[in-house]
Each structure stands twice: as C-alpha cells, then as structure tokens.
Amino acid sequence: MRPLAAGLAAGLAAGLAALLLLSACDRNETSGETSSAAPDRGDDGAIVASTSEDHLPDWLSPTDGTDPARWLAGREAGHPLPGDAAAVRELRESLDRARSAFVEDKRMIANRTVQLGQMLSEIGKTESYRGLIDGLGGIASVRGRNKSLYGEMCQHYYNTRAQGADHATALTRLEARERPDIAAPEMPPDPPRESEKQPGGQP
C-alpha cells in the first residue's frame, strides 16, 4: 500500500503545482491585459524593442508585437520561422478558430499552449501545439456565445493526462465536463429478481 500511496501523493502534488502555475500565469496575463501600464523601458527611459526576427522570447508579453502563430511555430521548431512557413500558417488558422471559442486573445492562448506543452513534456506526454489548440478549441466551439476559458481547460486537460489518460481520452472527458448533455446517463440498477429476494420478502 505504501508505494500506491506515495504514487497518489506525487500525482496530486504535480496536479496542484500545475494548477497553481497556470492560475498565477492567468492572473499575470489578465492584469497585463486590463491595466494601463506603460511598455517596458530601459534605464534611460527609451522603449525597449519587444520583437526580434532572430529571437524567440520565453513568453509573449502584452507589449510584444510578435505574431503569436509565428512565435508558437518557432518555439515548437526550436528556431524562428518565416511568417509564410507552412507550420506558421497552420497555427495561425488554429488560433483564429480558437479565438472565437475562448475568452482569451491569441497571445494568451499561445502562452498557455507553450506552458501546457512544457508541462506535458515533463511527464513524458508530448503533444503538438496545433493538436492541443484544435482539440481544446473543438470542444469549446460548440458552446456558441458562451465562450470558455482556455487556461481553465488546459488545467483540466493536464490533470487528466497526468492521471494516465491519452490525448483522445482526455478530450473526451473534457467534452463530457463542458457538455454534460452528451455524457451517457447512468442506468439505475435492475430490481432484484424473485429468486434473489431474502426470506420474508426483503431484497
């Protein structure tokens, strides 16, 4: 029992850490979006350039003008890619679709996707960025005007994967969570047959 308990504790700790990390990032991103803070400035007061053709920042800040699709594709490839590269075009299409289904903007969705991808990689469950965006976006798109929170969906997806589910199973569980109407209803147990009743007529 001890190894099982230790494994369960480790899994819960990993899930909690993931939730805290994503929640903290959500707060930082949201505050960056809604505040009127000035752009980053150097010691001399000059605005610091936030975009570079040969550099991929760790995260896209609110003042970064980098195309989120190009940044995502470059992060996945390990080096910057031209804006007309096939991988960039495909991720741009995925982000366009996701933007209509989630509350967050494309930059925030891109940041969350990289963060989720890193967390999955750490537990040996690497997924493509496009697969994550399209998978989660496909679930959220059925809600129509009731947009979903991408960060929250990433948390649930990661926790399900950390518990051992594969990509398809995690998406199925998320869809059931987002749309309880599609989940198979639980059937009530069959009433006991006459031969199974106890003496005195009691089941």
Side-chain angles (χ1 to χ4, degrees), residues 11 44 49 52 59-60 64 69 79 108 119 153 160 170 173 176-177:
D44 59 355
S52 172
W59 307 106
L60 293 179
D64 198 320
H79 56 83
M108 293 176 72
M119 292 164 60
M153 195 174 285
T160 305
R173 291 180 184 175
R177 178 187 177 88

Side-chain angles (χ1 to χ4, degrees), residues 180-193:
D181 58 297
I182 69 168
E186 293 186 11
M187 299 297 293
D190 294 329
R193 291 174 293 186

Side-chain angles (χ1 to χ4, degrees):
M1 294 298 292
R2 289 183 179 179
L4 178 61
L8 180 59
L12 290 174
L16 180 59
L19 286 171
L20 291 174
L21 182 62
L22 280 167
S23 296
C25 190
D26 276 335
R27 288 194 297 272
N28 291 338
E29 290 290 319
T30 303
S31 62
E33 286 293 316
T34 58
S35 69
S36 57
D40 294 337
R41 295 177 181 272
D43 293 338
D44 59 355
I47 294 178
V48 177
S50 57
T51 304
S52 172
E53 290 298 311
D54 58 358
H55 173 68
L56 293 170
D58 291 336
W59 307 106
L60 293 179
S61 70
T63 58
D64 198 320
T66 302
D67 174 13
R70 184 169 173 241
W71 177 75
L72 264 181
R75 286 298 303 267
E76 191 160 34
H79 56 83
L81 294 173
D84 60 352
V88 176
R89 293 197 306 269
E90 291 170 355
L91 278 167
R92 192 173 289 129
E93 292 172 358
S94 294
L95 285 172
D96 285 343
R97 288 191 297 269
R99 180 64 186 96
S100 65
F102 292 107
V103 173
E104 296 93 332
D105 62 16
K106 295 178 186 178
R107 179 188 63 82
M108 293 176 72
I109 292 172
N111 279 340
R112 296 291 177 277
T113 302
V114 168
Q115 189 174 26
L116 176 59
Q118 291 176 343
M119 292 164 60
L120 290 171
S121 181
E122 290 171 1
I123 60 173
K125 300 181 182 295
T126 304
E127 296 291 341
S128 72
Y129 291 158
R130 189 181 183 199
L132 292 172
I133 295 171
D134 287 346
L136 299 177
I139 294 170
S141 65
V142 299
R143 299 188 64 185
R145 292 184 178 181
N146 298 318
K147 293 186 177 183
S148 300
L149 286 168
Y150 188 69
E152 180 179 320
M153 195 174 285
C154 285
Q155 292 175 13
H156 294 305
Y157 174 87
Y158 173 79
N159 289 340
T160 305
R161 294 300 307 272
Q163 293 168 5
D166 61 16
H167 179 67
T169 300
L171 292 179
T172 298
R173 291 180 184 175
L174 270 175
E175 187 171 20
R177 178 187 177 88
E178 291 289 311
R179 298 182 58 202
D181 58 297
I182 69 168
E186 293 186 11
M187 299 297 293
D190 294 329
R193 291 174 293 186
E194 289 297 323
S195 60
E196 295 174 343
K197 290 186 176 181
Q198 299 297 324
Q202 295 298 321

